[in-house]
Amino acid sequence: MGNRLKPRSIKNRHWLALTFAGALCMALLLFLPFISFNGGIFYYFGDFNVQEIPFYQLIHGQVRDGSLGWNHLTDLGTDTIASYSFYLMGSPFFWMTIPFPNELVPYLIGPILILKFACTASAAYLWLQRHVGFKGYAAVGGILYAFSGFSLYNVFFFHFHEPMIMFPLLLAALDCFLFDRRRGIFAVAVCAACVVNYYFFVGQAVFAAMYFIVLSCTRTWKFKFTEFLLLALEVVIGFAGAMFMLLPSVLGLLGNPRLDSYPRGWNALVYDRPQRYWLMLLAFFFPADVPALPTFTPESNCKWASVAGWLPFFGMTGVIAYLQLHKKSWLKKIILLLILFAAVPALNSMFQLFNISIFYTRWFYMPVLMFVLATLRSVENEQTDWNRAFVWSAGITAGFVLLIGVMPDLVGDGDDKTLQIGVEADRTRFWVYAVFALASLLCFLLLYRKFGNKKKRWFIAMSVGVAAVAMLASYYSVGTGVLESGTTATIRRSIINQRDKIEIDDLEDVRSDFYKDVDNTAMFWKVQSINCFQSSVSPSIMEFYKKIGITRDVASRPDFSAYGIRPLLSTKYYFDYKSDNGDPEKDESFLDADGNTKMPGWKFLKECNGFDIYENECYIPMGFAFHSYVTEEEFDRVGISNKPQALLYGMVLTREQMAKYADITGYTEQRYSALYGREPKTFRSVVEDYTFGEKQYREACEQLKKDCCESFAYTDDGFCAKYENFGKDKLLFFSIPYSEGFTAEVNGEPVDIEKVDFGMMAVRVPAKTYSEIVFHYQTPGLKTGIVVSAFAGTAFVIYLAAAIIIRITRRKRHAFRENT
């Protein structure tokens, strides 16, 4: 046949059902106690609590309401598909929640997580079963993959298990194409993997290419040019089929600074923190660490990096045994390539859109699956020298324990340093991990020596050992995260499904401030807010904050010193959650030690459901006109600390916009000739007359408040406002992020939308006219993406029909030749 892999078999399908059922039962036993403990909802900690749960509930409500365009409940506003395709829009598990009421969505998170573990194991089985002789081993491999260190670590990131499911399915589909010559399955798999998560699909595509090349070069699959062309065609069809989701996502995130750092210099060749090399090794010899609390290498700056990959019961013993036994094999070559890719930053970045700004190994589920297969092949091979492999595995593990656990170190500052034994961050967790790793290896050795010479008993003992060790390690990993949570009690008591207890009539109509509260509290309640913990929002938001000197990476959290942007962004209420200790310094209260608010112009309104609520006396309703305009170059002259307040004194425009609206801005080439000439320092700008103090701040807000819209409301496809202009033509400002997807009309006539203030929007309104302003929004690229996907679907049907016709024709020819 020209290859060393078997064609797909339809026998013994009960092993797939057993894999699913076994993983489902294990996941039930793992998560059900924690779900019951918290009243029916599975809470974890960190991102899981404040991102995954509110994201699901928010977008669930958006889908049921039929509004998938502009999302004004995420940060200052963003495109729904572009911002949430990374998290959940392509997930079949999310769409399973749609029939249920919105209030039940948090209660579905736990069951969905349990189902994900079962599906992860089943997907791994579907790929592994071709590569092993006994399919029961593939079932064990599925459990190993689903309960690996990577899988347990990334419970923290609820949406990471979908790529874990799609990856083995993608490989299984590729195997079907190469070894069974089945057409169409790989195209479907490519499309599905891309739709489920475009970010992880990049890494999966890199691995699939590597997999194909290695199989071809090792003659595991005999290369045929015509087959390669058909494979390429399926890739193109599958990729094009995903455009309805991919194109809006890409267009909506262009310009995001988190995607704007590419490999260069020595940082592309060597990690700047040597501890990372140690951590990547430790990740496969010890159980998964807690994402936010790195234990082994505290100075590696690897929080949330997903550096995990331990296999329960076996650890690296099976992998070491496989590498010792096989000198040449496609699997060994792939494993060595993956090690190389992990060690070189530029190669590592290939799995994550070539982004090298943050160290991530969120593709480690790929080597985990390869290590699972290597382990299973070692189990099947009678020539495997388990004693030798065990000595190496246990020796390396014990060596790591000794080096990290007993290494002396001086800790403290200056002359006040003390000798400490051990360089780990947390002694208790480190020794727990060490005991788990070594005890697991000892358990493997004892069971192997007892049952290793009897295949059936060894299989049963191995299966029990894998399940038992996986459960114990999983309980500790998940339990540690649950106990470490600082948000669960607050969310359960005062936030989740608690919106009705906040008695403010216009809360849905205005923006609120939740700075220093639990992240995304507003999202839980489905109210507008200037605070948001979501990294894939509109690039205009990122640009706006960057230009005024406020850090905006994964979240919008403008601090109290930037009080000027609160009225600019039409923020009316501030929520100050009262923690149990009541200490203003510790709970970061909105009040200082003297009882004054930490931002000027706020007064206490009421207390609701554990929150002290303050009202902004300087609140400016959405949609207002400035009476002064400055260029971006002028605004750059304002000191960084005063920029948020300076935005209240004048609208910031580009030079071209100033000239375009010269009748409004007063721009003349003569007046600005110095600024844009050879001696810009000689230009005197109005910004040099800005003075900053509470009095000036209040006066600026009062002036803007006098010239604002009389009404503003969001619509199904944008927003509308009504404004009476008593003076000359003006530019009406809306603190909504600029997007190419918006079009605007004033009194039924199309008008240009200007990007002002480094990311917000403004339109021209006529003089002495009562104007109705309407903004319509269409997701950029969505229509084009749907058209491309439709063409891809048509091409797929034609391709599949042609493949079927060719196959039938060949069978008839073969039958005719046999009969003659």
Side-chain angles (χ1 to χ4, degrees), residues 369-398:
L369 187 61
M370 298 302 108
F371 288 173
V372 168
L373 178 57
T375 299
L376 298 180
R377 288 197 163 182
S378 296
V379 170
E380 280 197 314
N381 196 324
E382 295 180 355
Q383 297 180 356
T384 300
D385 188 346
W386 285 110
N387 291 324
R388 182 187 177 198
F390 173 81
V391 169
W392 274 96
S393 181
I396 293 173
T397 305

PDB file of all heavy atoms in Angstrom, residues 369-398:
ATOM      1  N   LEU A 369      -0.641  15.449  22.712  1.00  0.00           N
ATOM      2  CA  LEU A 369      -1.238  14.364  21.937  1.00  0.00           C
ATOM      3  C   LEU A 369      -0.173  13.462  21.343  1.00  0.00           C
ATOM      4  O   LEU A 369      -0.325  12.235  21.308  1.00  0.00           O
ATOM      5  CB  LEU A 369      -2.127  14.948  20.832  1.00  0.00           C
ATOM      6  CG  LEU A 369      -2.953  13.925  20.038  1.00  0.00           C
ATOM      7  CD1 LEU A 369      -3.909  13.171  20.954  1.00  0.00           C
ATOM      8  CD2 LEU A 369      -3.727  14.605  18.911  1.00  0.00           C
ATOM      9  N   MET A 370       0.928  14.058  20.868  1.00  0.00           N
ATOM     10  CA  MET A 370       2.018  13.236  20.336  1.00  0.00           C
ATOM     11  C   MET A 370       2.657  12.393  21.441  1.00  0.00           C
ATOM     12  O   MET A 370       3.005  11.231  21.221  1.00  0.00           O
ATOM     13  CB  MET A 370       3.075  14.138  19.693  1.00  0.00           C
ATOM     14  CG  MET A 370       2.584  14.959  18.505  1.00  0.00           C
ATOM     15  SD  MET A 370       1.898  13.963  17.155  1.00  0.00           S
ATOM     16  CE  MET A 370       0.139  14.358  17.325  1.00  0.00           C
ATOM     17  N   PHE A 371       2.787  12.966  22.629  1.00  0.00           N
ATOM     18  CA  PHE A 371       3.354  12.216  23.750  1.00  0.00           C
ATOM     19  C   PHE A 371       2.419  11.077  24.169  1.00  0.00           C
ATOM     20  O   PHE A 371       2.883  10.005  24.574  1.00  0.00           O
ATOM     21  CB  PHE A 371       3.592  13.151  24.941  1.00  0.00           C
ATOM     22  CG  PHE A 371       4.738  14.107  24.742  1.00  0.00           C
ATOM     23  CD1 PHE A 371       4.995  15.108  25.663  1.00  0.00           C
ATOM     24  CD2 PHE A 371       5.567  14.023  23.630  1.00  0.00           C
ATOM     25  CE1 PHE A 371       6.049  15.993  25.499  1.00  0.00           C
ATOM     26  CE2 PHE A 371       6.625  14.909  23.440  1.00  0.00           C
ATOM     27  CZ  PHE A 371       6.863  15.891  24.383  1.00  0.00           C
ATOM     28  N   VAL A 372       1.129  11.315  24.074  1.00  0.00           N
ATOM     29  CA  VAL A 372       0.166  10.252  24.374  1.00  0.00           C
ATOM     30  C   VAL A 372       0.360   9.083  23.410  1.00  0.00           C
ATOM     31  O   VAL A 372       0.403   7.909  23.823  1.00  0.00           O
ATOM     32  CB  VAL A 372      -1.280  10.787  24.301  1.00  0.00           C
ATOM     33  CG1 VAL A 372      -2.286   9.627  24.320  1.00  0.00           C
ATOM     34  CG2 VAL A 372      -1.564  11.736  25.463  1.00  0.00           C
ATOM     35  N   LEU A 373       0.475   9.393  22.119  1.00  0.00           N
ATOM     36  CA  LEU A 373       0.673   8.323  21.133  1.00  0.00           C
ATOM     37  C   LEU A 373       1.992   7.600  21.374  1.00  0.00           C
ATOM     38  O   LEU A 373       2.051   6.364  21.293  1.00  0.00           O
ATOM     39  CB  LEU A 373       0.638   8.892  19.717  1.00  0.00           C
ATOM     40  CG  LEU A 373       0.885   7.879  18.595  1.00  0.00           C
ATOM     41  CD1 LEU A 373      -0.121   6.725  18.651  1.00  0.00           C
ATOM     42  CD2 LEU A 373       0.839   8.563  17.225  1.00  0.00           C
ATOM     43  N   ALA A 374       3.057   8.340  21.668  1.00  0.00           N
ATOM     44  CA  ALA A 374       4.344   7.708  21.951  1.00  0.00           C
ATOM     45  C   ALA A 374       4.232   6.770  23.148  1.00  0.00           C
ATOM     46  O   ALA A 374       4.795   5.662  23.155  1.00  0.00           O
ATOM     47  CB  ALA A 374       5.402   8.778  22.202  1.00  0.00           C
ATOM     48  N   THR A 375       3.500   7.199  24.169  1.00  0.00           N
ATOM     49  CA  THR A 375       3.311   6.362  25.355  1.00  0.00           C
ATOM     50  C   THR A 375       2.556   5.086  25.006  1.00  0.00           C
ATOM     51  O   THR A 375       2.936   3.982  25.440  1.00  0.00           O
ATOM     52  CB  THR A 375       2.546   7.155  26.429  1.00  0.00           C
ATOM     53  OG1 THR A 375       3.306   8.314  26.789  1.00  0.00           O
ATOM     54  CG2 THR A 375       2.304   6.302  27.660  1.00  0.00           C
ATOM     55  N   LEU A 376       1.493   5.208  24.221  1.00  0.00           N
ATOM     56  CA  LEU A 376       0.698   4.034  23.843  1.00  0.00           C
ATOM     57  C   LEU A 376       1.506   3.064  22.990  1.00  0.00           C
ATOM     58  O   LEU A 376       1.398   1.841  23.143  1.00  0.00           O
ATOM     59  CB  LEU A 376      -0.557   4.476  23.094  1.00  0.00           C
ATOM     60  CG  LEU A 376      -1.540   5.356  23.872  1.00  0.00           C
ATOM     61  CD1 LEU A 376      -2.739   5.717  23.003  1.00  0.00           C
ATOM     62  CD2 LEU A 376      -1.989   4.684  25.155  1.00  0.00           C
ATOM     63  N   ARG A 377       2.319   3.587  22.104  1.00  0.00           N
ATOM     64  CA  ARG A 377       3.152   2.710  21.274  1.00  0.00           C
ATOM     65  C   ARG A 377       4.212   1.998  22.105  1.00  0.00           C
ATOM     66  O   ARG A 377       4.579   0.857  21.810  1.00  0.00           O
ATOM     67  CB  ARG A 377       3.786   3.512  20.149  1.00  0.00           C
ATOM     68  CG  ARG A 377       2.792   3.913  19.073  1.00  0.00           C
ATOM     69  CD  ARG A 377       3.472   4.337  17.801  1.00  0.00           C
ATOM     70  NE  ARG A 377       2.551   4.345  16.683  1.00  0.00           N
ATOM     71  CZ  ARG A 377       2.887   4.642  15.433  1.00  0.00           C
ATOM     72  NH1 ARG A 377       4.149   4.943  15.154  1.00  0.00           N
ATOM     73  NH2 ARG A 377       1.997   4.640  14.469  1.00  0.00           N
ATOM     74  N   SER A 378       4.680   2.672  23.142  1.00  0.00           N
ATOM     75  CA  SER A 378       5.611   2.001  24.044  1.00  0.00           C
ATOM     76  C   SER A 378       4.914   0.878  24.798  1.00  0.00           C
ATOM     77  O   SER A 378       5.484  -0.202  25.011  1.00  0.00           O
ATOM     78  CB  SER A 378       6.199   3.012  25.042  1.00  0.00           C
ATOM     79  OG  SER A 378       6.968   3.982  24.379  1.00  0.00           O
ATOM     80  N   VAL A 379       3.672   1.127  25.204  1.00  0.00           N
ATOM     81  CA  VAL A 379       2.902   0.099  25.911  1.00  0.00           C
ATOM     82  C   VAL A 379       2.674  -1.112  25.014  1.00  0.00           C
ATOM     83  O   VAL A 379       2.760  -2.263  25.460  1.00  0.00           O
ATOM     84  CB  VAL A 379       1.558   0.689  26.388  1.00  0.00           C
ATOM     85  CG1 VAL A 379       0.630  -0.420  26.909  1.00  0.00           C
ATOM     86  CG2 VAL A 379       1.781   1.737  27.470  1.00  0.00           C
ATOM     87  N   GLU A 380       2.403  -0.875  23.755  1.00  0.00           N
ATOM     88  CA  GLU A 380       2.119  -1.971  22.830  1.00  0.00           C
ATOM     89  C   GLU A 380       3.362  -2.756  22.434  1.00  0.00           C
ATOM     90  O   GLU A 380       3.275  -3.952  22.135  1.00  0.00           O
ATOM     91  CB  GLU A 380       1.464  -1.408  21.556  1.00  0.00           C
ATOM     92  CG  GLU A 380      -0.009  -1.127  21.704  1.00  0.00           C
ATOM     93  CD  GLU A 380      -0.690  -0.976  20.360  1.00  0.00           C
ATOM     94  OE1 GLU A 380      -0.125  -0.263  19.501  1.00  0.00           O
ATOM     95  OE2 GLU A 380      -1.767  -1.571  20.158  1.00  0.00           O
ATOM     96  N   ASN A 381       4.486  -2.110  22.423  1.00  0.00           N
ATOM     97  CA  ASN A 381       5.705  -2.750  21.919  1.00  0.00           C
ATOM     98  C   ASN A 381       6.328  -3.646  23.000  1.00  0.00           C
ATOM     99  O   ASN A 381       6.706  -3.183  24.074  1.00  0.00           O
ATOM    100  CB  ASN A 381       6.715  -1.677  21.492  1.00  0.00           C
ATOM    101  CG  ASN A 381       7.809  -2.235  20.611  1.00  0.00           C
ATOM    102  OD1 ASN A 381       8.268  -3.357  20.792  1.00  0.00           O
ATOM    103  ND2 ASN A 381       8.232  -1.436  19.637  1.00  0.00           N
ATOM    104  N   GLU A 382       6.436  -4.917  22.719  1.00  0.00           N
ATOM    105  CA  GLU A 382       6.976  -5.868  23.685  1.00  0.00           C
ATOM    106  C   GLU A 382       8.460  -5.657  23.939  1.00  0.00           C
ATOM    107  O   GLU A 382       9.001  -6.150  24.936  1.00  0.00           O
ATOM    108  CB  GLU A 382       6.726  -7.299  23.196  1.00  0.00           C
ATOM    109  CG  GLU A 382       5.250  -7.654  23.126  1.00  0.00           C
ATOM    110  CD  GLU A 382       5.027  -9.078  22.647  1.00  0.00           C
ATOM    111  OE1 GLU A 382       6.034  -9.734  22.294  1.00  0.00           O
ATOM    112  OE2 GLU A 382       3.861  -9.525  22.636  1.00  0.00           O
ATOM    113  N   GLN A 383       9.134  -4.953  23.058  1.00  0.00           N
ATOM    114  CA  GLN A 383      10.563  -4.721  23.220  1.00  0.00           C
ATOM    115  C   GLN A 383      10.882  -3.493  24.095  1.00  0.00           C
ATOM    116  O   GLN A 383      12.047  -3.201  24.349  1.00  0.00           O
ATOM    117  CB  GLN A 383      11.224  -4.547  21.848  1.00  0.00           C
ATOM    118  CG  GLN A 383      11.127  -5.786  20.970  1.00  0.00           C
ATOM    119  CD  GLN A 383      11.783  -5.576  19.615  1.00  0.00           C
ATOM    120  OE1 GLN A 383      12.250  -4.475  19.310  1.00  0.00           O
ATOM    121  NE2 GLN A 383      11.828  -6.619  18.822  1.00  0.00           N
ATOM    122  N   THR A 384       9.866  -2.806  24.537  1.00  0.00           N
ATOM    123  CA  THR A 384      10.086  -1.610  25.357  1.00  0.00           C
ATOM    124  C   THR A 384      10.791  -1.962  26.658  1.00  0.00           C
ATOM    125  O   THR A 384      10.382  -2.870  27.384  1.00  0.00           O
ATOM    126  CB  THR A 384       8.741  -0.931  25.677  1.00  0.00           C
ATOM    127  OG1 THR A 384       8.107  -0.544  24.459  1.00  0.00           O
ATOM    128  CG2 THR A 384       8.950   0.308  26.549  1.00  0.00           C
ATOM    129  N   ASP A 385      11.848  -1.242  26.943  1.00  0.00           N
ATOM    130  CA  ASP A 385      12.604  -1.440  28.189  1.00  0.00           C
ATOM    131  C   ASP A 385      12.070  -0.455  29.228  1.00  0.00           C
ATOM    132  O   ASP A 385      12.595   0.651  29.398  1.00  0.00           O
ATOM    133  CB  ASP A 385      14.089  -1.205  27.929  1.00  0.00           C
ATOM    134  CG  ASP A 385      14.948  -1.586  29.126  1.00  0.00           C
ATOM    135  OD1 ASP A 385      14.388  -1.775  30.221  1.00  0.00           O
ATOM    136  OD2 ASP A 385      16.181  -1.672  28.954  1.00  0.00           O
ATOM    137  N   TRP A 386      11.017  -0.878  29.942  1.00  0.00           N
ATOM    138  CA  TRP A 386      10.371   0.000  30.890  1.00  0.00           C
ATOM    139  C   TRP A 386      11.262   0.326  32.082  1.00  0.00           C
ATOM    140  O   TRP A 386      11.181   1.418  32.644  1.00  0.00           O
ATOM    141  CB  TRP A 386       9.059  -0.620  31.375  1.00  0.00           C
ATOM    142  CG  TRP A 386       7.962  -0.538  30.359  1.00  0.00           C
ATOM    143  CD1 TRP A 386       7.413  -1.559  29.654  1.00  0.00           C
ATOM    144  CD2 TRP A 386       7.280   0.659  29.939  1.00  0.00           C
ATOM    145  NE1 TRP A 386       6.424  -1.094  28.802  1.00  0.00           N
ATOM    146  CE2 TRP A 386       6.324   0.266  28.969  1.00  0.00           C
ATOM    147  CE3 TRP A 386       7.387   2.004  30.267  1.00  0.00           C
ATOM    148  CZ2 TRP A 386       5.487   1.166  28.329  1.00  0.00           C
ATOM    149  CZ3 TRP A 386       6.539   2.912  29.643  1.00  0.00           C
ATOM    150  CH2 TRP A 386       5.612   2.496  28.685  1.00  0.00           C
ATOM    151  N   ASN A 387      12.075  -0.622  32.481  1.00  0.00           N
ATOM    152  CA  ASN A 387      12.951  -0.367  33.629  1.00  0.00           C
ATOM    153  C   ASN A 387      13.920   0.776  33.330  1.00  0.00           C
ATOM    154  O   ASN A 387      14.135   1.682  34.141  1.00  0.00           O
ATOM    155  CB  ASN A 387      13.729  -1.636  33.993  1.00  0.00           C
ATOM    156  CG  ASN A 387      12.820  -2.701  34.574  1.00  0.00           C
ATOM    157  OD1 ASN A 387      11.877  -2.380  35.303  1.00  0.00           O
ATOM    158  ND2 ASN A 387      13.078  -3.954  34.258  1.00  0.00           N
ATOM    159  N   ARG A 388      14.491   0.744  32.142  1.00  0.00           N
ATOM    160  CA  ARG A 388      15.423   1.801  31.746  1.00  0.00           C
ATOM    161  C   ARG A 388      14.705   3.146  31.641  1.00  0.00           C
ATOM    162  O   ARG A 388      15.210   4.172  32.127  1.00  0.00           O
ATOM    163  CB  ARG A 388      16.067   1.424  30.415  1.00  0.00           C
ATOM    164  CG  ARG A 388      17.092   2.423  29.900  1.00  0.00           C
ATOM    165  CD  ARG A 388      17.534   2.047  28.505  1.00  0.00           C
ATOM    166  NE  ARG A 388      18.457   3.024  27.946  1.00  0.00           N
ATOM    167  CZ  ARG A 388      18.724   3.130  26.657  1.00  0.00           C
ATOM    168  NH1 ARG A 388      18.156   2.284  25.792  1.00  0.00           N
ATOM    169  NH2 ARG A 388      19.574   4.041  26.221  1.00  0.00           N
ATOM    170  N   ALA A 389      13.538   3.125  31.019  1.00  0.00           N
ATOM    171  CA  ALA A 389      12.774   4.364  30.867  1.00  0.00           C
ATOM    172  C   ALA A 389      12.356   4.916  32.222  1.00  0.00           C
ATOM    173  O   ALA A 389      12.387   6.139  32.454  1.00  0.00           O
ATOM    174  CB  ALA A 389      11.551   4.117  29.994  1.00  0.00           C
ATOM    175  N   PHE A 390      11.965   4.015  33.126  1.00  0.00           N
ATOM    176  CA  PHE A 390      11.550   4.464  34.459  1.00  0.00           C
ATOM    177  C   PHE A 390      12.708   5.132  35.192  1.00  0.00           C
ATOM    178  O   PHE A 390      12.543   6.164  35.857  1.00  0.00           O
ATOM    179  CB  PHE A 390      11.025   3.283  35.271  1.00  0.00           C
ATOM    180  CG  PHE A 390      10.746   3.633  36.701  1.00  0.00           C
ATOM    181  CD1 PHE A 390       9.573   4.267  37.058  1.00  0.00           C
ATOM    182  CD2 PHE A 390      11.678   3.355  37.702  1.00  0.00           C
ATOM    183  CE1 PHE A 390       9.317   4.615  38.382  1.00  0.00           C
ATOM    184  CE2 PHE A 390      11.436   3.702  39.017  1.00  0.00           C
ATOM    185  CZ  PHE A 390      10.257   4.326  39.365  1.00  0.00           C
ATOM    186  N   VAL A 391      13.895   4.529  35.101  1.00  0.00           N
ATOM    187  CA  VAL A 391      15.060   5.103  35.769  1.00  0.00           C
ATOM    188  C   VAL A 391      15.314   6.522  35.260  1.00  0.00           C
ATOM    189  O   VAL A 391      15.578   7.449  36.046  1.00  0.00           O
ATOM    190  CB  VAL A 391      16.297   4.204  35.554  1.00  0.00           C
ATOM    191  CG1 VAL A 391      17.554   4.928  36.024  1.00  0.00           C
ATOM    192  CG2 VAL A 391      16.137   2.895  36.294  1.00  0.00           C
ATOM    193  N   TRP A 392      15.249   6.699  33.955  1.00  0.00           N
ATOM    194  CA  TRP A 392      15.447   8.032  33.382  1.00  0.00           C
ATOM    195  C   TRP A 392      14.350   9.009  33.839  1.00  0.00           C
ATOM    196  O   TRP A 392      14.642  10.131  34.254  1.00  0.00           O
ATOM    197  CB  TRP A 392      15.461   7.949  31.856  1.00  0.00           C
ATOM    198  CG  TRP A 392      16.806   7.625  31.291  1.00  0.00           C
ATOM    199  CD1 TRP A 392      17.284   6.400  30.930  1.00  0.00           C
ATOM    200  CD2 TRP A 392      17.858   8.558  31.033  1.00  0.00           C
ATOM    201  NE1 TRP A 392      18.564   6.480  30.464  1.00  0.00           N
ATOM    202  CE2 TRP A 392      18.956   7.804  30.510  1.00  0.00           C
ATOM    203  CE3 TRP A 392      18.012   9.923  31.192  1.00  0.00           C
ATOM    204  CZ2 TRP A 392      20.158   8.386  30.150  1.00  0.00           C
ATOM    205  CZ3 TRP A 392      19.206  10.519  30.827  1.00  0.00           C
ATOM    206  CH2 TRP A 392      20.264   9.760  30.326  1.00  0.00           C
ATOM    207  N   SER A 393      13.114   8.565  33.745  1.00  0.00           N
ATOM    208  CA  SER A 393      12.000   9.441  34.099  1.00  0.00           C
ATOM    209  C   SER A 393      12.024   9.806  35.575  1.00  0.00           C
ATOM    210  O   SER A 393      11.907  10.995  35.943  1.00  0.00           O
ATOM    211  CB  SER A 393      10.674   8.758  33.749  1.00  0.00           C
ATOM    212  OG  SER A 393       9.582   9.587  34.065  1.00  0.00           O
ATOM    213  N   ALA A 394      12.173   8.808  36.427  1.00  0.00           N
ATOM    214  CA  ALA A 394      12.210   9.070  37.864  1.00  0.00           C
ATOM    215  C   ALA A 394      13.445   9.871  38.247  1.00  0.00           C
ATOM    216  O   ALA A 394      13.392  10.763  39.116  1.00  0.00           O
ATOM    217  CB  ALA A 394      12.171   7.752  38.631  1.00  0.00           C
ATOM    218  N   GLY A 395      14.568   9.569  37.585  1.00  0.00           N
ATOM    219  CA  GLY A 395      15.799  10.300  37.886  1.00  0.00           C
ATOM    220  C   GLY A 395      15.690  11.768  37.538  1.00  0.00           C
ATOM    221  O   GLY A 395      16.109  12.644  38.309  1.00  0.00           O
ATOM    222  N   ILE A 396      15.143  12.058  36.364  1.00  0.00           N
ATOM    223  CA  ILE A 396      14.973  13.470  35.960  1.00  0.00           C
ATOM    224  C   ILE A 396      14.008  14.180  36.900  1.00  0.00           C
ATOM    225  O   ILE A 396      14.268  15.310  37.342  1.00  0.00           O
ATOM    226  CB  ILE A 396      14.474  13.541  34.504  1.00  0.00           C
ATOM    227  CG1 ILE A 396      15.563  13.019  33.546  1.00  0.00           C
ATOM    228  CG2 ILE A 396      14.086  14.968  34.148  1.00  0.00           C
ATOM    229  CD1 ILE A 396      15.091  12.890  32.113  1.00  0.00           C
ATOM    230  N   THR A 397      12.893  13.508  37.235  1.00  0.00           N
ATOM    231  CA  THR A 397      11.907  14.116  38.136  1.00  0.00           C
ATOM    232  C   THR A 397      12.515  14.393  39.503  1.00  0.00           C
ATOM    233  O   THR A 397      12.377  15.496  40.055  1.00  0.00           O
ATOM    234  CB  THR A 397      10.692  13.191  38.285  1.00  0.00           C
ATOM    235  OG1 THR A 397      10.154  12.896  36.994  1.00  0.00           O
ATOM    236  CG2 THR A 397       9.624  13.851  39.138  1.00  0.00           C
ATOM    237  N   ALA A 398      13.221  13.381  40.047  1.00  0.00           N
ATOM    238  CA  ALA A 398      13.854  13.567  41.352  1.00  0.00           C
ATOM    239  C   ALA A 398      14.933  14.646  41.291  1.00  0.00           C
ATOM    240  O   ALA A 398      15.106  15.435  42.239  1.00  0.00           O
ATOM    241  CB  ALA A 398      14.443  12.244  41.831  1.00  0.00           C
TER     242      ALA A 398
END
